[in-house]
Amino acid sequence: MDLLDRITVDPAIRFGKPCVRGTRLTVGDVLGTLAAGCSETELLEDFPQLSHEDVLACTAFAAERERTLMVSTGVG
């Protein structure tokens, strides 16, 4: 399974924000928690519905979005 397949967008869930498949946790929730200094181990303990692959999928999604943004704006 491609990591990005773990991220879904459904207008009926969290106002269409990208979420980890099968949860209501957004990519932003996961990345924000990590950016605030929480370790992946702590994140996975706090949210047992997540897996290591889900965390990787969130970072892959953010990286892909960044690449897409850079291409669409002609930067990079």
Side-chain angles (χ1 to χ4, degrees):
M1 170 186 288
D2 181 18
L3 283 176
L4 294 179
D5 291 339
R6 292 176 171 273
I7 306 300
T8 61
V9 176
D10 181 341
I13 300 173
R14 298 291 302 267
F15 305 101
K17 292 180 182 178
C19 292
V20 176
R21 181 190 70 222
T23 76
R24 295 181 57 81
L25 292 169
T26 68
V27 169
D29 293 335
V30 173
L31 297 179
T33 301
L34 293 171
C38 185
S39 71
E40 181 180 345
T41 301
E42 293 169 320
L43 178 71
L44 296 176
E45 288 172 359
D46 289 344
F47 300 97
Q49 67 270 42
L50 293 178
S51 68
H52 170 70
E53 290 77 15
D54 292 330
V55 176
L56 291 178
C58 289
T59 58
F61 182 88
E64 182 59 29
R65 183 171 272 189
E66 178 69 12
R67 276 191 292 279
T68 302
L69 176 65
M70 299 307 275
V71 168
S72 70
T73 61
V75 177

